[in-house]
Amino acid sequence: MDDNEKNIVTIVKEFYLTIQKYGYRKVLNKLNELKLPTFSQYENNIQNKIIYLVTSEYNSNIHELTKNNVRGDLGEARSMCIVLLKKYLNIINSQIAIIFKRDTHSMVSNALNKHKNKSKNIINEKKYLDKYKRIERRLLQEINTMTKLDSNE
């Protein structure tokens, strides 16, 4: 078990013991007092941030990415969004397809497979991978910011 998993197990055990000691209602009330964003709000924020970062990098917008027969840079941008959505939200392919106004998940599967097979040795693919890494770094900074609790609360 790595350090992250150990930390999670420790936190869950402490949380469980706190619930046993004070009761779930008191713990739930305290959690509600913190006014933390719900998980769905957090997911929506990450989804919007991914789309924003990618479309900014490619000078496009979500409406262009939802069009049929997207090619070139727009196709690349949509694929990058798909890969990042899958990685950071771990939602099923059909849910990602809906974001891009598609009925089938095959577009998502194709994008994920193409990304997995990209090579740093091919110039165009290296450029894509460099953009991907740059966007991912920015996304991780944003996620880190989103997950920090305000110490004034």
Side-chain angles (χ1 to χ4, degrees), residues 19-31:
I19 290 172
Q20 281 194 320
K21 183 175 181 178
Y22 298 104
Y24 79 93
R25 286 195 191 274
K26 284 187 178 182
V27 173
L28 186 59
N29 287 339
K30 283 295 172 193
L31 282 172

Side-chain angles (χ1 to χ4, degrees), residues 65-118:
L65 300 184
T66 60
K67 292 179 181 176
N68 289 328
N69 299 319
V70 172
R71 300 276 187 263
D73 282 350
L74 288 177
E76 194 173 280
R78 180 165 65 188
S79 293
M80 194 173 295
C81 281
I82 289 168
V83 172
L84 290 167
L85 289 166
K86 185 67 173 184
K87 182 173 182 178
Y88 288 95
L89 295 178
N90 198 26
I91 53 180
I92 61 174
N93 292 2
S94 58
Q95 289 175 301
I96 296 173
I98 290 169
I99 294 168
F100 297 99
K101 299 183 180 173
R102 296 288 175 272
D103 297 333
T104 177
H105 62 82
S106 61
M107 173 198 66
V108 176
S109 299
N110 290 338
L112 294 171
N113 285 332
K114 284 180 183 177
H115 178 81
K116 183 173 59 176
N117 295 320
K118 296 259 186 221

Side-chain angles (χ1 to χ4, degrees), residues 46-60:
I46 291 176
Q47 175 184 318
N48 292 337
K49 188 53 70 176
I50 288 169
I51 292 169
Y52 170 78
L53 290 171
V54 173
T55 55
S56 294
E57 179 74 28
Y58 284 90
N59 297 317
S60 62

